[in-house]
Amino acid sequence: MPDLPVAAPEHGRFRLNLLILSIVKFNFASYLTIGLPLAVLPGYVHDGLGYNAFWAGLVISLQYIATLLSRPHAGRYADVWGPKKVVVLGLVGCLLSGICILLSALSDGQGVLSLVLLCLGRVILGVGQSFSGTGTSLWGVARVGSLHIGRVISWNGIVTYGAMAIGAPLGVVIFRSGGLLLLSSIIIAICVLAIALALPRAPVKGSKAKPLPFRDVLSKVYGFGLILAMGSAGFGVIATFITLFYQDKGWDGAAFALTMFSAAFVGTRLLFPNAINKLGGLRVASICFAVEAIGLFLVAGSFDPWMAKMGAFLTGAGFSLVFPAIGVVAVKVVPQQNQGSALATYTAFMDLSLGITGPIAGFIMSYAGVSLVYFLTALLVCLALFCTLRMIKRMPDDPVVEVRENA
């Protein structure tokens, strides 16, 4: 990763946010290409192509597996080549994925070929997302300075979840209007526009310093990654099992509980953009874990729908700042030229957590009920809180007070 300048003091916070958004918009575009087909492809594979639920699920899961496996490479290439090149490559991957969906739609009469093209497109999309997501974070930091790394990561998360929230229902509407051909055409158009906007921007040079081997980067950040993985389980069980929890209780309104989770997640990041710089990453993370655990305990013990909704709200608010709060500390334990690799490796722990939470929680739920899943996850978040408090004692991260700037 290139040398990181400190943001100029004449930048006001409003201008700072605009500068960050001018970079993370490319991640918004990449996640929009993920969100648009997300609610469409399982039904298309199952009902349109005639394959069973296993293949429908595999088409979706392939993207997450590819993202997990390619993240460390994305970070290393961002350090060496510079983040702009990695972002553009990621967007090209999203474009190729859209082309694969288009070809699959055109070969609708040939079931095996259509399925293979969808699977290939999902793998390419997973690699593209890891490149664009990691690259935009590092590109943003390179533009505004390492002092504002927490703010960059927060905004990147906001556009990520915003794109997914917009993309999924919009994709269903587009599919009903024009089928997979129209959906894939729109995905291709989004990618072409994003690439056209990214190419003219000033590049950020990669570092000429020799990067650390991956195992050395992993040895420095794995502790932070494990804490992130434990905290991410709360998000995983809310997103995956809140609907089944409501069904088990005989309640309606599971979708609204998910809305409250998402609103709390985005709202907390918008309301407290400077909390990490003022209090320090680990201190903010400890507060977040406490709030997240309370939310999960509330869901587990809820005897009325309002309790489950409030629990989902608190879980979303608590989880909101976990990733950037710990991430700020994680990337600073490696040399500057390895911060791309550190951020990507750290993020992979969240990918891994979300990948294994569903199967493990589903196994527990099938034998002991869905309420126990939330109780055990709350205990896991409490363990993350305990580990964070111990880490504060070992390496207190003094808060970095952000320079107050006039807008």
Side-chain angles (χ1 to χ4, degrees):
M1 186 173 172
D3 293 340
L4 302 180
V6 176
E10 64 269 16
H11 282 163
R13 289 184 182 176
F14 180 72
R15 292 181 62 192
L16 178 65
N17 288 334
L18 285 181
L19 183 57
I20 294 171
L21 286 171
S22 72
I23 302 298
V24 299
K25 68 184 179 185
F26 301 117
N27 198 34
F28 178 85
S30 71
Y31 264 95
L32 200 55
T33 66
I34 294 173
L36 285 172
L38 189 61
V40 170
L41 290 183
Y44 177 77
V45 172
H46 188 271
D47 301 324
L49 298 180
Y51 288 93
N52 60 29
F54 168 79
W55 290 102
L58 180 65
V59 166
I60 299 300
S61 299
L62 281 173
Q63 179 223 312
Y64 300 112
I65 296 171
T67 297
L68 173 63
L69 295 177
S70 60
R71 274 208 195 273
H73 300 288
R76 183 165 296 276
Y77 291 142
D79 288 332
V80 176
W81 296 344
K84 176 190 169 180
K85 291 182 180 180
V86 170
V87 170
V88 172
L89 281 175
L91 292 172
V92 170
C94 297
L95 172 63
L96 293 175
S97 173
I99 293 173
C100 286
I101 296 176
L102 176 65
L103 294 175
S104 175
L106 292 174
S107 60
D108 188 30
Q110 305 177 45
V112 174
L113 177 60
S114 183
L115 180 66
V116 169
L117 286 168
L118 284 180
C119 291
L120 177 62
R122 296 295 293 176
V123 171
I124 296 173
L125 180 61
V127 177
Q129 191 281 311
S130 67
F131 274 60
S132 59
T134 302
T136 50
S137 290
L138 300 173
W139 195 358
V141 173
R143 289 299 308 276
V144 303
S146 58
L147 177 64
H148 306 296
I149 187 172
R151 189 183 290 262
V152 173
I153 295 175
S154 292
W155 273 112
N156 218 17
I158 290 172
V159 300
T160 293
Y161 287 93
M164 293 287 283
I166 295 170
L170 182 60
V172 173
V173 173
I174 295 171
F175 182 76
R176 288 174 179 172
S177 300
L180 208 59
L181 279 174
L182 179 61
L183 183 65
S184 60
S185 299
I186 291 176
I187 290 173
I188 291 171
I190 291 170
C191 295
V192 170
L193 176 61
I195 293 170
L197 292 174
L199 285 174
R201 298 187 68 94
V204 179
K205 294 182 179 180
S207 174
K208 295 181 180 180
K210 183 179 180 181
L212 289 174
F214 171 73
R215 63 180 180 276
D216 293 340
V217 175
L218 178 62
S219 69
K220 291 180 179 294
V221 303
Y222 83 93
F224 304 102
L226 289 175
I227 294 176
L228 172 67
M230 289 186 281
S232 300
F235 165 60
V237 295
I238 289 290
T240 306
F241 295 112
I242 194 66
T243 301
L244 295 179
F245 179 81
Y246 267 68
Q247 289 178 357
D248 183 66
K249 295 286 188 178
W251 299 337
D252 295 323
F256 185 64
L258 286 171
T259 300
M260 292 191 69
F261 175 92
S262 301
F265 182 95
V266 175
T268 301
R269 287 199 173 187
L270 292 175
L271 288 173
F272 303 102
N274 204 32
I276 297 171
N277 280 347
K278 288 183 176 180
L279 301 177
L282 294 180
R283 292 181 179 86
V284 170
S286 63
I287 297 171
C288 289
F289 284 136
V291 175
E292 183 182 357
I294 292 171
L296 290 166
F297 279 127
L298 195 57
V299 174
S302 59
F303 52 82
D304 191 87
W306 73 265
M307 292 180 65
K309 291 182 176 67
M310 182 56 64
F313 181 88
L314 290 176
T315 304
F319 179 66
S320 178
L321 292 175
V322 165
F323 182 89
I326 302 175
V328 166
V329 186
V331 298
K332 291 180 179 178
V333 300
V334 299
Q336 192 168 285
Q337 67 268 19
N338 289 99
Q339 289 186 344
S341 296
L343 181 60
T345 304
Y346 166 74
T347 306
F349 280 90
M350 181 175 173
D351 297 329
L352 180 62
S353 175
L354 296 179
I356 66 176
T357 293
I360 294 176
F363 177 80
I364 295 172
M365 184 181 67
S366 63
Y367 286 96
V370 67
S371 293
L372 183 63
V373 168
Y374 287 97
F375 179 77
L376 293 176
T377 306
L379 292 180
L380 186 63
V381 174
C382 288
L383 178 59
L385 171 59
F386 173 75
C387 293
T388 304
L389 293 174
R390 289 199 60 181
M391 192 172 285
I392 289 175
K393 292 182 179 181
R394 293 202 312 268
M395 49 167 299
D397 59 327
D398 296 329
V400 180
V401 179
E402 186 177 357
V403 179
R404 294 186 177 274
E405 301 151 339
N406 295 323

PDB file of all heavy atoms in Angstrom, residues 155-177:
ATOM      1  N   TRP A 155     -17.922   4.070   6.077  1.00  0.00           N
ATOM      2  CA  TRP A 155     -18.673   4.442   4.880  1.00  0.00           C
ATOM      3  C   TRP A 155     -18.705   3.298   3.873  1.00  0.00           C
ATOM      4  O   TRP A 155     -19.713   3.094   3.182  1.00  0.00           O
ATOM      5  CB  TRP A 155     -18.060   5.686   4.236  1.00  0.00           C
ATOM      6  CG  TRP A 155     -18.594   6.966   4.803  1.00  0.00           C
ATOM      7  CD1 TRP A 155     -17.929   7.890   5.545  1.00  0.00           C
ATOM      8  CD2 TRP A 155     -19.933   7.466   4.678  1.00  0.00           C
ATOM      9  NE1 TRP A 155     -18.761   8.930   5.890  1.00  0.00           N
ATOM     10  CE2 TRP A 155     -19.992   8.695   5.369  1.00  0.00           C
ATOM     11  CE3 TRP A 155     -21.080   6.990   4.049  1.00  0.00           C
ATOM     12  CZ2 TRP A 155     -21.161   9.458   5.447  1.00  0.00           C
ATOM     13  CZ3 TRP A 155     -22.250   7.739   4.125  1.00  0.00           C
ATOM     14  CH2 TRP A 155     -22.275   8.954   4.818  1.00  0.00           C
ATOM     15  N   ASN A 156     -17.616   2.545   3.792  1.00  0.00           N
ATOM     16  CA  ASN A 156     -17.609   1.399   2.886  1.00  0.00           C
ATOM     17  C   ASN A 156     -18.661   0.384   3.309  1.00  0.00           C
ATOM     18  O   ASN A 156     -19.328  -0.230   2.463  1.00  0.00           O
ATOM     19  CB  ASN A 156     -16.217   0.762   2.867  1.00  0.00           C
ATOM     20  CG  ASN A 156     -15.812   0.278   1.485  1.00  0.00           C
ATOM     21  OD1 ASN A 156     -16.394   0.665   0.477  1.00  0.00           O
ATOM     22  ND2 ASN A 156     -14.813  -0.568   1.422  1.00  0.00           N
ATOM     23  N   GLY A 157     -18.829   0.194   4.617  1.00  0.00           N
ATOM     24  CA  GLY A 157     -19.864  -0.714   5.103  1.00  0.00           C
ATOM     25  C   GLY A 157     -21.262  -0.202   4.844  1.00  0.00           C
ATOM     26  O   GLY A 157     -22.173  -0.970   4.520  1.00  0.00           O
ATOM     27  N   ILE A 158     -21.449   1.109   4.968  1.00  0.00           N
ATOM     28  CA  ILE A 158     -22.773   1.691   4.726  1.00  0.00           C
ATOM     29  C   ILE A 158     -23.200   1.467   3.278  1.00  0.00           C
ATOM     30  O   ILE A 158     -24.333   1.057   3.002  1.00  0.00           O
ATOM     31  CB  ILE A 158     -22.769   3.193   5.070  1.00  0.00           C
ATOM     32  CG1 ILE A 158     -22.665   3.382   6.596  1.00  0.00           C
ATOM     33  CG2 ILE A 158     -24.025   3.877   4.544  1.00  0.00           C
ATOM     34  CD1 ILE A 158     -22.462   4.813   7.021  1.00  0.00           C
ATOM     35  N   VAL A 159     -22.289   1.744   2.332  1.00  0.00           N
ATOM     36  CA  VAL A 159     -22.668   1.563   0.924  1.00  0.00           C
ATOM     37  C   VAL A 159     -22.836   0.084   0.593  1.00  0.00           C
ATOM     38  O   VAL A 159     -23.655  -0.275  -0.267  1.00  0.00           O
ATOM     39  CB  VAL A 159     -21.636   2.223  -0.027  1.00  0.00           C
ATOM     40  CG1 VAL A 159     -21.528   3.710   0.249  1.00  0.00           C
ATOM     41  CG2 VAL A 159     -20.275   1.563   0.053  1.00  0.00           C
ATOM     42  N   THR A 160     -22.090  -0.782   1.286  1.00  0.00           N
ATOM     43  CA  THR A 160     -22.232  -2.217   1.062  1.00  0.00           C
ATOM     44  C   THR A 160     -23.629  -2.690   1.414  1.00  0.00           C
ATOM     45  O   THR A 160     -24.333  -3.310   0.604  1.00  0.00           O
ATOM     46  CB  THR A 160     -21.194  -2.986   1.896  1.00  0.00           C
ATOM     47  OG1 THR A 160     -19.883  -2.700   1.413  1.00  0.00           O
ATOM     48  CG2 THR A 160     -21.443  -4.486   1.829  1.00  0.00           C
ATOM     49  N   TYR A 161     -24.059  -2.406   2.646  1.00  0.00           N
ATOM     50  CA  TYR A 161     -25.371  -2.860   3.082  1.00  0.00           C
ATOM     51  C   TYR A 161     -26.482  -2.105   2.379  1.00  0.00           C
ATOM     52  O   TYR A 161     -27.569  -2.653   2.145  1.00  0.00           O
ATOM     53  CB  TYR A 161     -25.490  -2.720   4.603  1.00  0.00           C
ATOM     54  CG  TYR A 161     -24.685  -3.755   5.343  1.00  0.00           C
ATOM     55  CD1 TYR A 161     -23.385  -3.498   5.757  1.00  0.00           C
ATOM     56  CD2 TYR A 161     -25.210  -5.010   5.619  1.00  0.00           C
ATOM     57  CE1 TYR A 161     -22.623  -4.454   6.422  1.00  0.00           C
ATOM     58  CE2 TYR A 161     -24.467  -5.977   6.281  1.00  0.00           C
ATOM     59  CZ  TYR A 161     -23.181  -5.686   6.684  1.00  0.00           C
ATOM     60  OH  TYR A 161     -22.445  -6.634   7.329  1.00  0.00           O
ATOM     61  N   GLY A 162     -26.233  -0.835   2.032  1.00  0.00           N
ATOM     62  CA  GLY A 162     -27.221  -0.079   1.283  1.00  0.00           C
ATOM     63  C   GLY A 162     -27.464  -0.669  -0.089  1.00  0.00           C
ATOM     64  O   GLY A 162     -28.612  -0.816  -0.540  1.00  0.00           O
ATOM     65  N   ALA A 163     -26.378  -1.062  -0.771  1.00  0.00           N
ATOM     66  CA  ALA A 163     -26.510  -1.656  -2.102  1.00  0.00           C
ATOM     67  C   ALA A 163     -27.234  -2.995  -2.043  1.00  0.00           C
ATOM     68  O   ALA A 163     -28.063  -3.307  -2.917  1.00  0.00           O
ATOM     69  CB  ALA A 163     -25.131  -1.834  -2.732  1.00  0.00           C
ATOM     70  N   MET A 164     -26.939  -3.786  -1.021  1.00  0.00           N
ATOM     71  CA  MET A 164     -27.606  -5.083  -0.891  1.00  0.00           C
ATOM     72  C   MET A 164     -29.096  -4.888  -0.603  1.00  0.00           C
ATOM     73  O   MET A 164     -29.950  -5.588  -1.162  1.00  0.00           O
ATOM     74  CB  MET A 164     -26.961  -5.882   0.239  1.00  0.00           C
ATOM     75  CG  MET A 164     -25.530  -6.306  -0.048  1.00  0.00           C
ATOM     76  SD  MET A 164     -25.403  -7.615  -1.264  1.00  0.00           S
ATOM     77  CE  MET A 164     -25.884  -9.019  -0.265  1.00  0.00           C
ATOM     78  N   ALA A 165     -29.418  -3.909   0.266  1.00  0.00           N
ATOM     79  CA  ALA A 165     -30.816  -3.660   0.619  1.00  0.00           C
ATOM     80  C   ALA A 165     -31.615  -3.159  -0.578  1.00  0.00           C
ATOM     81  O   ALA A 165     -32.785  -3.514  -0.757  1.00  0.00           O
ATOM     82  CB  ALA A 165     -30.890  -2.649   1.760  1.00  0.00           C
ATOM     83  N   ILE A 166     -30.989  -2.332  -1.399  1.00  0.00           N
ATOM     84  CA  ILE A 166     -31.659  -1.816  -2.596  1.00  0.00           C
ATOM     85  C   ILE A 166     -31.708  -2.870  -3.694  1.00  0.00           C
ATOM     86  O   ILE A 166     -32.722  -3.044  -4.375  1.00  0.00           O
ATOM     87  CB  ILE A 166     -30.933  -0.554  -3.112  1.00  0.00           C
ATOM     88  CG1 ILE A 166     -31.051   0.576  -2.094  1.00  0.00           C
ATOM     89  CG2 ILE A 166     -31.499  -0.114  -4.461  1.00  0.00           C
ATOM     90  CD1 ILE A 166     -30.165   1.765  -2.415  1.00  0.00           C
ATOM     91  N   GLY A 167     -30.595  -3.587  -3.859  1.00  0.00           N
ATOM     92  CA  GLY A 167     -30.452  -4.486  -4.993  1.00  0.00           C
ATOM     93  C   GLY A 167     -31.400  -5.671  -4.981  1.00  0.00           C
ATOM     94  O   GLY A 167     -31.976  -6.024  -6.024  1.00  0.00           O
ATOM     95  N   ALA A 168     -31.587  -6.305  -3.819  1.00  0.00           N
ATOM     96  CA  ALA A 168     -32.391  -7.534  -3.778  1.00  0.00           C
ATOM     97  C   ALA A 168     -33.835  -7.315  -4.230  1.00  0.00           C
ATOM     98  O   ALA A 168     -34.313  -8.004  -5.144  1.00  0.00           O
ATOM     99  CB  ALA A 168     -32.328  -8.146  -2.382  1.00  0.00           C
ATOM    100  N   PRO A 169     -34.584  -6.362  -3.628  1.00  0.00           N
ATOM    101  CA  PRO A 169     -35.965  -6.166  -4.111  1.00  0.00           C
ATOM    102  C   PRO A 169     -36.024  -5.592  -5.519  1.00  0.00           C
ATOM    103  O   PRO A 169     -36.929  -5.933  -6.297  1.00  0.00           O
ATOM    104  CB  PRO A 169     -36.550  -5.184  -3.085  1.00  0.00           C
ATOM    105  CG  PRO A 169     -35.390  -4.515  -2.451  1.00  0.00           C
ATOM    106  CD  PRO A 169     -34.280  -5.515  -2.477  1.00  0.00           C
ATOM    107  N   LEU A 170     -35.055  -4.727  -5.869  1.00  0.00           N
ATOM    108  CA  LEU A 170     -35.037  -4.160  -7.218  1.00  0.00           C
ATOM    109  C   LEU A 170     -34.798  -5.245  -8.260  1.00  0.00           C
ATOM    110  O   LEU A 170     -35.399  -5.229  -9.352  1.00  0.00           O
ATOM    111  CB  LEU A 170     -33.957  -3.084  -7.313  1.00  0.00           C
ATOM    112  CG  LEU A 170     -33.824  -2.355  -8.651  1.00  0.00           C
ATOM    113  CD1 LEU A 170     -35.122  -1.641  -9.000  1.00  0.00           C
ATOM    114  CD2 LEU A 170     -32.661  -1.365  -8.604  1.00  0.00           C
ATOM    115  N   GLY A 171     -33.948  -6.210  -7.935  1.00  0.00           N
ATOM    116  CA  GLY A 171     -33.679  -7.308  -8.849  1.00  0.00           C
ATOM    117  C   GLY A 171     -34.922  -8.131  -9.136  1.00  0.00           C
ATOM    118  O   GLY A 171     -35.147  -8.573 -10.275  1.00  0.00           O
ATOM    119  N   VAL A 172     -35.743  -8.347  -8.114  1.00  0.00           N
ATOM    120  CA  VAL A 172     -36.994  -9.098  -8.305  1.00  0.00           C
ATOM    121  C   VAL A 172     -37.922  -8.348  -9.255  1.00  0.00           C
ATOM    122  O   VAL A 172     -38.532  -8.946 -10.160  1.00  0.00           O
ATOM    123  CB  VAL A 172     -37.682  -9.339  -6.941  1.00  0.00           C
ATOM    124  CG1 VAL A 172     -39.055  -9.969  -7.145  1.00  0.00           C
ATOM    125  CG2 VAL A 172     -36.820 -10.239  -6.064  1.00  0.00           C
ATOM    126  N   VAL A 173     -38.029  -7.023  -9.069  1.00  0.00           N
ATOM    127  CA  VAL A 173     -38.890  -6.209  -9.938  1.00  0.00           C
ATOM    128  C   VAL A 173     -38.394  -6.267 -11.388  1.00  0.00           C
ATOM    129  O   VAL A 173     -39.182  -6.439 -12.328  1.00  0.00           O
ATOM    130  CB  VAL A 173     -38.926  -4.745  -9.436  1.00  0.00           C
ATOM    131  CG1 VAL A 173     -39.670  -3.859 -10.429  1.00  0.00           C
ATOM    132  CG2 VAL A 173     -39.582  -4.671  -8.064  1.00  0.00           C
ATOM    133  N   ILE A 174     -37.085  -6.136 -11.569  1.00  0.00           N
ATOM    134  CA  ILE A 174     -36.509  -6.179 -12.920  1.00  0.00           C
ATOM    135  C   ILE A 174     -36.724  -7.545 -13.559  1.00  0.00           C
ATOM    136  O   ILE A 174     -37.091  -7.648 -14.744  1.00  0.00           O
ATOM    137  CB  ILE A 174     -35.003  -5.845 -12.872  1.00  0.00           C
ATOM    138  CG1 ILE A 174     -34.796  -4.399 -12.415  1.00  0.00           C
ATOM    139  CG2 ILE A 174     -34.353  -6.061 -14.232  1.00  0.00           C
ATOM    140  CD1 ILE A 174     -33.349  -4.050 -12.126  1.00  0.00           C
ATOM    141  N   PHE A 175     -36.532  -8.604 -12.786  1.00  0.00           N
ATOM    142  CA  PHE A 175     -36.698  -9.963 -13.318  1.00  0.00           C
ATOM    143  C   PHE A 175     -38.134 -10.204 -13.760  1.00  0.00           C
ATOM    144  O   PHE A 175     -38.382 -10.824 -14.807  1.00  0.00           O
ATOM    145  CB  PHE A 175     -36.283 -10.976 -12.255  1.00  0.00           C
ATOM    146  CG  PHE A 175     -36.370 -12.412 -12.701  1.00  0.00           C
ATOM    147  CD1 PHE A 175     -35.416 -12.943 -13.544  1.00  0.00           C
ATOM    148  CD2 PHE A 175     -37.413 -13.218 -12.275  1.00  0.00           C
ATOM    149  CE1 PHE A 175     -35.493 -14.270 -13.959  1.00  0.00           C
ATOM    150  CE2 PHE A 175     -37.497 -14.542 -12.684  1.00  0.00           C
ATOM    151  CZ  PHE A 175     -36.533 -15.064 -13.525  1.00  0.00           C
ATOM    152  N   ARG A 176     -39.091  -9.709 -12.985  1.00  0.00           N
ATOM    153  CA  ARG A 176     -40.494  -9.883 -13.352  1.00  0.00           C
ATOM    154  C   ARG A 176     -40.848  -9.081 -14.603  1.00  0.00           C
ATOM    155  O   ARG A 176     -41.754  -9.452 -15.341  1.00  0.00           O
ATOM    156  CB  ARG A 176     -41.388  -9.453 -12.184  1.00  0.00           C
ATOM    157  CG  ARG A 176     -41.359 -10.424 -11.003  1.00  0.00           C
ATOM    158  CD  ARG A 176     -42.140  -9.888  -9.828  1.00  0.00           C
ATOM    159  NE  ARG A 176     -42.132 -10.829  -8.703  1.00  0.00           N
ATOM    160  CZ  ARG A 176     -42.617 -10.550  -7.495  1.00  0.00           C
ATOM    161  NH1 ARG A 176     -43.146  -9.342  -7.249  1.00  0.00           N
ATOM    162  NH2 ARG A 176     -42.572 -11.448  -6.535  1.00  0.00           N
ATOM    163  N   SER A 177     -40.117  -7.997 -14.829  1.00  0.00           N
ATOM    164  CA  SER A 177     -40.409  -7.148 -15.980  1.00  0.00           C
ATOM    165  C   SER A 177     -39.781  -7.670 -17.269  1.00  0.00           C
ATOM    166  O   SER A 177     -40.412  -7.626 -18.331  1.00  0.00           O
ATOM    167  CB  SER A 177     -39.910  -5.724 -15.723  1.00  0.00           C
ATOM    168  OG  SER A 177     -40.539  -5.168 -14.590  1.00  0.00           O
TER     169      SER A 177
END
